[in-house]
Amino acid sequence: MYAFVTFLAGLLFGLGLAISEMTNPAVVIGFLDIFGDWNPSLIAVMGGAISVGMLGYWIKNKRFSPIMSKEWHVPNLKHIDRKLLIGAGLFGIGWGLSGYCPGPGLTALTNNPMEGIYFVGALIIGSAIHHFQNVLFRK
């Protein structure tokens, strides 16, 4: 049941990205082009995502335990550190340069395979570097 609900959540997320056209890098880059042909539609998408996230936290705070897990899986970092700033900066640079963030970037494999191959390849390489960095420099 957990896998089925996870699949449905991912499907709903993907449909939301497709309907809002966030799978199109031109829309994302249009949002970042504030001095050119600015496209503010990403604000509405972010507002919807934040609303769903707030609803999720509201439900979590009303329940004693989750329905399909033994414990809640929520971030517990309470401070801004160097790793968070570097990660956010790299994410933003990659998003701004490519117009893709990881979720919509995977759709590029079907929508725009040449760009998708490069983006997903870079995503995999970056993830591998992060993994091996953690393995090699574990404290």
Side-chain angles (χ1 to χ4, degrees), residues 7-55:
F7 171 77
L8 286 179
L11 184 64
L12 181 62
F13 177 71
L15 286 172
L17 290 174
I19 290 168
S20 64
E21 293 191 43
M22 291 300 118
T23 57
N24 181 355
V27 173
V28 175
I29 291 172
F31 173 74
L32 299 172
D33 187 11
I34 57 175
F35 298 113
D37 189 21
W38 187 57
N39 180 350
S41 63
L42 185 55
I43 294 172
V45 174
M46 286 184 192
I50 290 168
S51 299
V52 169
M54 289 174 65
L55 176 64

Side-chain angles (χ1 to χ4, degrees), residues 52-131:
V52 169
M54 289 174 65
L55 176 64
Y57 274 103
W58 181 80
I59 291 169
K60 178 209 169 279
N61 290 334
K62 296 286 183 188
R63 296 194 50 85
F64 180 71
S65 64
I67 297 170
M68 296 189 171
S69 181
K70 294 187 187 323
E71 63 181 303
W72 295 106
H73 300 281
V74 295
N76 57 9
L77 184 65
K78 302 287 186 205
H79 64 282
I80 297 173
D81 63 359
R82 184 175 66 94
K83 288 178 9 179
L84 176 65
L85 292 174
I86 291 170
L90 289 172
F91 177 86
I93 290 168
W95 192 25
L97 289 174
S98 69
Y100 292 118
C101 70
L106 292 175
T107 67
L109 290 172
T110 58
N111 297 348
N112 192 348
M114 284 308 294
E115 282 185 16
I117 294 285
Y118 291 121
F119 179 82
V120 173
L123 186 69
I124 291 169
I125 290 168
S127 296
I129 290 170
H130 174 73
H131 172 75

